[in-house]
Amino acid sequence: MTESRQTPLNLVVLGPPGAGKGTQAVEFADRHGISKISTGDILRDAVQSGTALGQRAKATMDAGGLVDDQLMIAIVRERLGKKDVAGGFVLDGFPRTVAQATALDEIMAGQGALIVVDIAVPDDALVARLARRRVCGQCGLAVSASVDAVAGRCEKCGGELVLRSDDTESVVRERLRVYAEATRPLVDYYSSRPTFRSIDGNQRAEAVGSALAAAVDQVLATVSAGNPASGGVVG
Ligand code: AMP
């Protein structure tokens, strides 16, 4: 179900690898009829199609590192300039560094509020989750291996469920290290803003979805009342 909107709903979903950002971003975007932009999906598509971007990004992705800021900023700048984004967007996987966040602020200047929700999950839960995660080789849908064991195939398109090439244990550890070093500082970057909320991601996906919706509603109410309360923890 989609809801019609008059002002753009611009949402950044932050969080460590395995926090469920992709799942929540898809659901939120579908529910609100806005575009989901996942930089990880853009890069994986480029790798699969063998484009120059894909060739440039593949080794970095396989090693669990970050593709360089200027390239990622250029990709997102171009994507956010497209028509479908006028009604709003959900960004998943960007920004990942303070330089990317600063660039996003510049891109968004005068374009309406940027709501930022951090999905917080403890490290030990993430390693276990990523080991269980399978993705559809065809449509990219992510599921837990417990579902995989029953279905074996994607419930959405019937494609084969596979382990993501960067979900192997050593690469997962590197991605978590890179997250802690480069991306977690974004929580500090955004946390004093009235448009920032942090939600508990260590619960069932449905509960995370409800907490995300509540956090966004709270920010919208605060912003539209012109009375920005300080950012806080919800759900
Ligand atoms: P994700 O699907 O968001 O976990 O992204 C998969 C991989 O793509 C990451 O481990 C990075 O190598 C790369 N990547 C995705 N988004 C970005 C970004 N904003 N900046 C740098 N690298 C990125």
Side-chain angles (χ1 to χ4, degrees):
M1 191 182 63
T2 61
E3 294 167 6
S4 62
R5 303 199 51 78
Q6 292 181 341
T7 49
L9 178 49
N10 305 324
L11 173 66
V12 167
V13 182
L14 280 185
K21 299 186 297 296
T23 304
Q24 297 302 334
V26 171
E27 284 183 14
F28 190 93
D30 282 355
R31 190 169 326 117
H32 293 273
I34 56 180
S35 303
K36 184 210 68 158
I37 302 170
S38 156
T39 46
D41 285 350
I42 291 172
L43 293 172
R44 276 184 291 278
D45 283 351
V47 170
Q48 221 172 15
S49 327
T51 63
L53 169 65
Q55 285 169 18
R56 197 166 154 190
K58 186 177 185 319
T60 307
M61 293 172 75
D62 285 348
L66 291 183
V67 175
D68 76 270
D69 283 336
Q70 292 322 312
L71 184 57
M72 297 313 301
I73 291 165
I75 290 170
V76 169
R77 189 186 297 279
E78 198 211 334
R79 184 65 188 86
L80 290 181
K82 297 229 160 110
K83 272 203 190 125
D84 64 293
V85 173
F89 58 79
V90 183
L91 258 180
D92 156 30
F94 186 98
R96 252 181 162 96
T97 63
V98 172
Q100 293 180 12
T102 310
L104 182 60
D105 282 341
E106 280 163 23
I107 295 168
M108 291 299 297
Q111 307 290 316
L114 184 69
I115 302 172
V116 180
V117 178
D118 177 52
I119 304 180
V121 180
D123 275 2
D124 50 356
L126 294 171
V127 177
R129 273 191 196 193
L130 288 165
R132 280 198 311 266
R133 175 162 77 178
R134 297 293 181 276
V135 292
C136 173
Q138 224 160 267
C139 76
L141 182 78
V143 297
S144 162
S146 49
V147 178
D148 176 35
V150 178
R153 300 232 146 231
C154 173
E155 54 178 275
K156 203 166 128 199
C157 76
E160 191 187 349
L161 296 173
V162 294
L163 183 72
R164 227 172 85 167
S165 61
D166 59 354
D167 276 349
T168 56
E169 195 183 329
S170 62
V171 181
V172 161
R173 292 203 182 279
E174 175 61 7
R175 286 164 64 210
L176 290 174
R177 192 194 65 73
V178 168
Y179 167 79
E181 189 179 288
T183 310
R184 194 175 283 144
L186 290 183
V187 174
D188 284 339
Y189 180 86
Y190 287 118
S191 66
S192 61
R193 297 187 185 184
T195 50
F196 174 84
R197 294 291 185 280
S198 179
I199 61 172
D200 176 10
N202 201 15
Q203 48 183 343
R204 292 172 54 83
E206 296 75 23
V208 178
S210 303
L212 175 61
V216 171
D217 285 349
Q218 235 186 47
V219 170
L220 289 174
T222 309
V223 169
S224 66
N227 173 30
S230 60
V233 177
V234 180

